[in-house]
Amino acid sequence: MDSTRIAPAACAGARTGERRVHAVVLPPGRRLFEALAAALDGTGPAICPLSPDLPAPALRTLLDALAPHAVHTADGVRARPGGVPAAADTAVLIATSGSTGTPKIVELSAAALRHSAAATLARIGARPGDRWLCCLPTSHIAGVQVLVRSLVAGTEPVILPRFDTTAFDAALASGRPPHTALVPTQLRRLVDAGTDLAKVGAIVLGGAPASPALLAQARERGARIHTTYGMSETCGGCVYDGVPLDGVRAKVGADGRIRLTGPVLFTGYRLRGDLTAAARDGDWYLTPDLGALEPDGRLRVRGRADDVINTGGEKVVAGEVAALLSRHPSVRDVVVVGRPDAEWGERVTAVVVPAGAPPTLDDLRAFVRAAMPAYAAPRELQLVEAIPLLSSGKPDRQALRRPVP
């Protein structure tokens, strides 16, 4: 018998209504998929997928925070003393640091995960028997949800242990075009490699904003893209193309922060009731993002609240400046951050991957000043070959905020 599939009674904790927790330190593949299936149908313990590539000290830190009953690796399942049960309805736990570096472990119920998956299948117009291609890390919610969508659809996923354009193309060679989930960096690589994106079903694109130029290029190649907004706390993307999934509601509070509610919300942060309470506004999840509702009711994400740059007493939403700069013809990719400045407190810094001839700082300042207040224009330009990313595909903002020597 597979060691990840144990009798339901054995999945309970020491008391009724609780469930054992396993840390699953496995690469994307069959064994992880089976552990996830067992977690969702209740025949196995709740699982927290962790990357086997984590350095040993980082893995120890996460295991200490998780307090699992056992650790499942390629060598088997090893009991770990001091395990703390999860709630009976918890199926998956996701360790996330977002883009701030502070680790939290998000508890997700099977019902929330299934609702998110079913609502996604309905939104993209998936048909019975449609396959999914997983090429995102399965230690993050985006990768896990590709597998959950396969389970809900009743199909076997195609799992790439690591993203590679050649392997991606090979996965498209046979059968009905699979749906997939990507981050913008992966989409850019596929466009650059000449992948026939018409051979892909729907592309669920998230993790970071995509430039209008990239979206246009991909769609010219036949891509059917749904831009998404969400996070681990909402079982991944819960707003598609600005419109919440069925059952999900979004609003913007007086403080400008986006609030989300519905059946996709997380149960809480593992063993951190204080963090859970701080993230709730009644039945609403208080996201770390600023947003606005367009006249047609669509949600527009302005940027992270903690990415607001205070420069000379003026507040600049970094995400809005980056969204504008992404439309400049000489900008291929861009992130805007605040860096320490002795005079201004923080200076608006544009970190840019050029498209062809690199732009100058004066070019970008003039471009921003034509549409935004002068104080929003960047005071520093750093040209790079690629934006540094976290393993989730999000920009590594902590690294980007460090001054260049």
Side-chain angles (χ1 to χ4, degrees):
M1 181 175 67
D2 188 326
S3 58
T4 66
R5 300 186 70 85
I6 56 182
C11 297
R15 297 180 295 276
T16 302
E18 296 178 335
R19 194 173 186 187
R20 291 175 63 84
V21 174
H22 282 196
V24 180
V25 191
L26 293 172
R30 164 55 53 181
R31 292 177 67 184
L32 176 60
F33 182 61
E34 290 177 349
L36 175 63
L40 286 172
D41 69 18
T43 60
I47 66 168
C48 180
L50 299 174
S51 171
D53 297 330
L54 280 172
L59 179 59
R60 284 196 298 270
T61 297
L62 281 175
L63 290 176
D64 288 344
L66 178 63
H69 296 85
V71 180
H72 185 180
T73 69
D75 296 326
V77 180
R78 172 176 52 84
R80 191 175 191 271
V84 178
D89 61 352
T90 298
V92 174
L93 303 94
I94 297 291
T96 175
S97 60
S99 57
T100 64
T102 304
K104 294 177 286 189
I105 299 174
V106 178
E107 295 188 338
L108 301 169
S109 69
L113 290 160
R114 287 197 186 98
H115 183 97
S116 173
T120 293
L121 296 177
R123 179 62 58 87
I124 68 173
R127 296 174 294 172
D130 280 2
R131 299 180 305 149
W132 281 83
L133 171 58
C134 180
C135 48
L136 289 170
T138 45
S139 53
H140 296 286
I141 188 59
V144 167
Q145 271 297 63
V146 172
L147 303 184
V148 176
R149 292 167 195 149
S150 291
L151 287 166
V152 170
T155 59
E156 287 285 323
V158 179
I159 302 175
L160 301 184
R162 295 185 185 277
F163 178 77
D164 174 85
T165 57
T166 301
F168 189 96
D169 288 346
L172 303 180
S174 62
R176 183 183 295 175
H179 307 299
T180 193
L182 300 171
V183 296
T185 299
Q186 292 173 320
L187 181 61
R188 165 57 63 191
R189 291 176 183 170
L190 292 172
V191 169
D192 290 347
T195 297
D196 184 357
L197 296 174
K199 292 182 177 179
V200 186
I203 296 175
V204 177
L205 188 68
S211 71
L214 174 58
L215 293 174
Q217 287 178 316
R219 285 169 174 150
E220 286 172 2
R221 293 178 179 271
R224 185 158 61 92
I225 298 171
H226 296 272
T227 59
T228 70
Y229 168 69
M231 56 282 296
S232 299
E233 289 86 346
T234 60
C235 290
C238 65
V239 177
Y240 280 45
D241 303 311
V243 180
L245 291 175
D246 292 346
V248 177
R249 289 186 291 154
K251 69 178 181 179
V252 177
D255 57 358
R257 288 173 67 175
I258 298 170
R259 289 156 167 78
L260 299 167
T261 192
V264 299
L265 285 194
F266 71 129
T267 305
Y269 294 112
R270 170 83 163 159
L271 306 177
R272 291 299 306 270
D274 56 331
L275 293 180
T276 303
R280 292 284 187 162
D281 182 7
D283 292 334
W284 296 82
Y285 167 54
L286 179 59
T287 79
D289 300 308
L290 300 173
L293 293 176
E294 302 289 9
D296 63 0
R298 291 178 185 268
L299 176 68
R300 176 171 60 86
V301 182
R302 299 173 60 205
R304 288 182 61 90
D306 57 8
D307 284 339
V308 172
I309 302 167
N310 192 330
T311 180
E314 302 288 355
K315 293 185 178 180
V316 176
V317 180
E320 291 188 323
V321 181
L324 177 59
L325 288 175
S326 70
R327 299 179 182 276
H328 191 285
S330 296
V331 173
R332 178 186 178 93
D333 199 3
V334 58
V335 174
V336 172
V337 294
R339 287 180 177 168
D341 186 278
E343 180 180 1
W344 300 95
E346 288 182 289
R347 62 183 176 276
V348 180
T349 301
V351 183
V352 170
V353 179
T360 67
L361 179 59
D362 286 344
D363 290 337
L364 299 187
R365 283 181 58 80
F367 191 77
V368 171
R369 291 178 71 169
M372 300 181 73
Y375 57 78
R379 294 182 176 274
E380 179 183 4
L381 168 63
Q382 181 185 358
L383 299 175
V384 296
E385 293 185 358
I387 299 295
L389 302 175
L390 301 169
S391 60
S392 61
K394 298 178 181 179
D396 188 343
R397 295 185 180 276
Q398 283 192 321
L400 291 168
R401 290 189 185 104
R402 298 187 193 112
V404 176

